[in-house]
Amino acid sequence: MQKIKSLMTRQGLKSPPESLSDLGAIESLRVPGKEEFRELREQPSDPQAEQELINSIEQIYFSTDSFDIVKYELEKLPPVLNLQELEEYRDKLKQQQAAVSKKVADLILEKQPAYVKELERVTSLQTGLQLAAVICTNGRRHLNIAKEGFTQASLGLLANQRKRQLLIGLLKSLRTIKTLQRTDVRLSEMLEEEDYPGAIQLCLECQKAASTFKHYSCISELNSKLQDTLEQIEEQLDVALSKICKNFDINHYTKVQQAYRLLGKTQTAMDQLHMHFTQAIHNTVFQVVLGYVELCAGNTDTKFQKLQYKDLCTHITSDSYIPCLADLCKALWEVMLSYYRTMEWHEKHDNEDTTSASEGSNMSTEETNFDRGYIKKKLEHGLTRIWQDVQLKVKTYLLGTDLSIFKYDDFIFVLDIISRLMQVGEEFCGSKSEVLQESIRKQSVNYFKNYHRTRLDELRMFLENETWELCPVKSNFSILQLHEFKFMEQSRSPSVSPSKQPASTSSKTETLFEQYCSVGNPFEIHANHNDEETEDVLASNGYESDEQEKSAYQEYDSDSDVPEELKRDYVDEQTGDAPVKSVSRETLKSRKKSDYSLNKVNAPILTNTTLNVIRLVGKYMQMMNILKPIAFDVIHFMSQLFDYYLYAVYTFFGRNDSLESTGLGLSSSRLRTTLNRIQESLIDMEVAADPTATLTAAEERKEKVPSPHLSHLVVLASGDTLYGLAERVVATESLVFLAEQFEFLQPHLDAVMPAVKKPFLQQFYSQTVSTASELRKPIYWIVAGKAIDYEQMLLLMANVKWDVKEIMSQHNIYVDALLKEFEQFNRRLNEVSKRVRIPLPVSNILWEHCIRLANRTIVEGYANVKKCSNEGRALMQLDFQQFLMKLEKLTDIRPIPDKEFVETYIKAYYLTENDMERWIKEHREYSTKQLTNLVNVCLGSHINKKARQKLLAAIDDIDRPKR
């Protein structure tokens, strides 16, 4: 019947919910015979109608419970019987029976081949059973023969021996079971000793042994206990694995890995390890910050423990910010170092794994290679993931506090820590730390803009209070001696701040992980007592020793007494060449006291303000060196420091509207362009012009600085001091010295400047720094213009009678007066040099300016002559030659500036009319007045009126474009 049910189920017929194991419910059904089957199959049928009839059969007929069908149908009859209804109901039941019978017949006929086959199998089985019966009969017969052949005693001995062997085996089993029962004690001892591989090995061996004796009832409990112990070992193993994240121990990790290998869970162990590292980073930073927050709060309130890490960082005070950041980075370093050493361990043991796998089966080798590849990829991927987690935690900490509240040194220290952390990240996974860089760059630029604005205001205050006195430094002074520039001399060591790094360490070739792999931490704050030392850059009274001060004022009576240092001073400092004319003994004697006593030890000329600017530059470079992404902003601000200093020196000492009217080109077009650029981009002229301007207006121009004003203590109008020459020298030469330091720093700036911004740096050096020395000419020109009384010389020349009739042998008195002015200028220059060393280029420029002005005054005096004869023109040549001869004894400048300017003007008297016209067109350096006087007075005696008018017209043509 079960087969019938399954067949009905396959055909889509309605089947009972459970197996028809009890056929009692349908025993009363008569199974139709073959003839009936044939008749049923031959009857025309509607499959759909038959299926509906089958489906209409009540569920109880398919029930496995036995029930009385007749009783069931009788109980269903109504109290009042209706014959027609009963006949209809009977016909319905018959139809249902006929449908079921037909379906059964179909299924039986369908399975008839299987039935035949099964019947054949039963027949074969019957034959086999008959053969087995024959074999058993023969066996019994042979046993009877054996029983008759052996005695009862022999069988007894065999039975006892067998029993003995069984008892021996039982004894061994009992001893093994006893040992297994005591295994839990040994396992506990091994777990306390952290011998995880041994514990797992022992546990696995015990499980194997227990499976051998599983037929003993006591073993089933022991087996369950061993399984629990193994799970406990795995839990302790996971705890041991988590300890690796903060303090990697190679022996400890080796045991853990061996244990996981025995369990066959090396991949699971690696997954768990990465989860522990992620959790370790979170727990570490939270605990460090929580500790500082609770320490600063001064109470044991537990509300902080419930805060999120982001909210907790906002409770860090400014006093504890840097120590907390340092400890935070230390703790994160320990985590990353543990991960680094973990990778090292796996790389080192790869070869061992390969060797051990090669000794095993091919399947074992493939599994080992697969595990090793999985672990390698997992570790490599984990590098970036862990570093990203570290960056996010530190970024959250940085954003928790406004860094603008810190002083510069503290801010630099914060940058230094972050810079070291980014260096760690780059070595850790090759990442450029984009998250940290972007975060710290924004805060650094904002901080640095405010800091720079404050420094510019301080620089203006320093310049306005600067008296331009010499700051005495030693002759060997170098900016590298200043603390702010120590980082340039020393290789970068991440364990200390930029100004505290050792001169040469192995960190040049070793990575931080190699350097601090076993001991130390790159974020340790080391106390460096060198920073507390006073900078040994200042000299007392401008001398490095009393002996030098005494020797500086000694007189030398012969050429051999002239010191080599002084001789070197007379080499042109710009070209490095010796003067055109060798220095005479008299000249050296006349200058050695001023030059040598001034030079003292030939120390650089700079002021306190210059030194402050240099220190500022050093601080700016520290920030740039620590945080290279803001290099362009820092260099731009550094250029503004130099621009403002240059503009201040020019404004104080070089601005004179009458300079350019001389036509001597004292200010080059490059210098004028630079000054205009500085004034437009940096100087707030409105505030300078209107001191009462509101603060709101100043805020709108916060990118600019008011123009500085010279201190009232600086006197530039006194002739006794050569109109403030000492102050002018200190100011100008300090600017030149500052420019030299910028030139010295150019390679370093160029190395950190982004490639796309390097044109700005090149432009700054070519158009600004290189123009510093060009300020000498306009600044010293003002002194030269006032040091000699040129107006008095013009008056003296006006009293000279130039229309003499005979050649004179004596020069005029204005020449002597002019030479006396130069001698007085020389004496004043010597007096000034006792205060300030005057470098050779400065003295050369001063003398050049004075001589040039004197020569042009001579030409102007000659141009004022009303009448002049040939003899008068000869007298002019005599006067000028006398002037040159005496002047060459006072100065070493060769050739004499504008000597040709005077001689050419005097010789022009002898030119013919045609030559004169060509000469006028070629010599446009002379003024219209000078040319006109030359034509009217000097040439008027030997040319006619028409020719004179022609020459004057030519002069007018030349002058017309100038109007």
Side-chain angles (χ1 to χ4, degrees), residues 335-352:
V335 176
M336 288 190 287
L337 179 62
S338 296
Y339 194 88
Y340 174 83
R341 296 187 66 185
T342 301
M343 290 192 67
E344 269 193 338
W345 186 93
H346 282 280
E347 290 175 0
K348 179 180 178 182
H349 287 73
D350 271 352
N351 294 333
E352 298 178 7

Side-chain angles (χ1 to χ4, degrees), residues 56-304:
S56 64
I57 298 175
E58 292 184 28
Q59 188 68 24
I60 192 170
Y61 283 100
F62 297 100
S63 174
T64 57
D65 298 332
S66 299
F67 73 100
D68 189 348
I69 298 174
V70 175
K71 183 180 179 181
Y72 172 74
E73 291 295 339
L74 291 175
E75 288 176 352
K76 288 173 56 179
L77 294 177
V80 180
L81 301 175
N82 187 327
L83 181 62
Q84 184 178 355
E85 291 179 355
L86 288 174
E87 289 178 349
E88 290 177 354
Y89 184 67
R90 183 195 61 186
D91 294 339
K92 179 182 177 181
L93 291 176
K94 287 183 177 182
Q95 290 176 357
Q96 290 177 345
Q97 182 182 17
V100 171
S101 299
K102 186 176 184 302
K103 190 66 179 178
V104 170
D106 291 342
L107 292 175
I108 290 174
L109 292 176
E110 181 181 350
K111 298 298 179 180
Q112 184 177 7
Y115 167 77
V116 173
K117 185 177 180 180
E118 184 67 18
L119 186 61
E120 291 177 354
R121 192 178 70 83
V122 170
T123 304
S124 176
L125 181 61
Q126 184 178 5
T127 304
L129 290 175
Q130 292 175 352
L131 179 61
V134 173
I135 294 173
C136 289
T137 302
N138 293 334
R140 286 177 180 177
R141 187 174 65 254
H142 290 128
L143 284 175
N144 289 329
I145 295 173
K147 182 177 180 182
E148 293 174 359
F150 290 96
T151 62
Q152 192 71 27
S154 298
L155 293 175
L157 288 175
L158 291 175
N160 290 333
Q161 179 64 22
R162 179 174 177 274
K163 185 177 181 180
R164 180 173 177 275
Q165 294 295 331
L166 291 175
L167 290 175
I168 291 174
L170 178 62
L171 182 62
K172 290 182 180 180
S173 299
L174 291 175
R175 288 175 179 173
T176 303
I177 293 173
K178 182 179 180 181
T179 304
L180 292 176
Q181 294 287 353
R182 296 179 179 178
T183 303
D184 57 340
V185 179
R186 178 55 186 158
L187 285 175
S188 299
E189 293 176 354
M190 297 178 78
L191 290 178
E192 290 180 0
E193 297 171 358
E194 296 185 347
D195 185 9
Y196 304 108
I200 292 175
Q201 184 69 34
L202 178 59
C203 191
L204 292 176
E205 290 176 356
C206 289
Q207 282 187 326
K208 184 178 180 181
S211 64
T212 305
F213 304 105
K214 61 183 179 181
H215 51 280
Y216 296 105
S217 58
C218 61
I219 290 300
S220 59
E221 181 181 354
L222 176 62
N223 205 11
S224 176
K225 186 176 181 181
L226 287 174
Q227 186 62 34
D228 294 340
T229 303
L230 188 61
E231 293 177 357
Q232 180 184 356
I233 293 175
E234 288 189 29
E235 291 177 359
Q236 293 194 20
L237 198 58
D238 189 61
V239 174
L241 186 65
S242 66
K243 295 179 181 179
I244 297 297
C245 301
K246 292 185 179 180
N247 186 15
F248 183 86
D249 181 82
I250 188 170
N251 295 326
H252 182 77
Y253 189 68
T254 302
K255 291 179 181 179
V256 171
Q257 282 296 319
Q258 289 176 350
Y260 274 111
R261 189 178 291 109
L262 289 172
L263 292 174
K265 296 183 178 182
T266 53
Q267 296 184 18
T268 304
M270 191 52 54
D271 296 336
Q272 288 294 113
L273 180 63
H274 281 80
M275 292 176 57
H276 288 314
F277 268 107
T278 302
Q279 190 66 27
I281 292 174
H282 174 76
N283 294 340
T284 298
V285 297
F286 187 85
Q287 291 301 323
V288 170
V289 176
L290 177 64
Y292 275 91
V293 170
E294 291 180 342
L295 179 65
C296 296
N299 56 44
T300 58
D301 194 349
T302 59
K303 66 177 183 180
F304 297 118

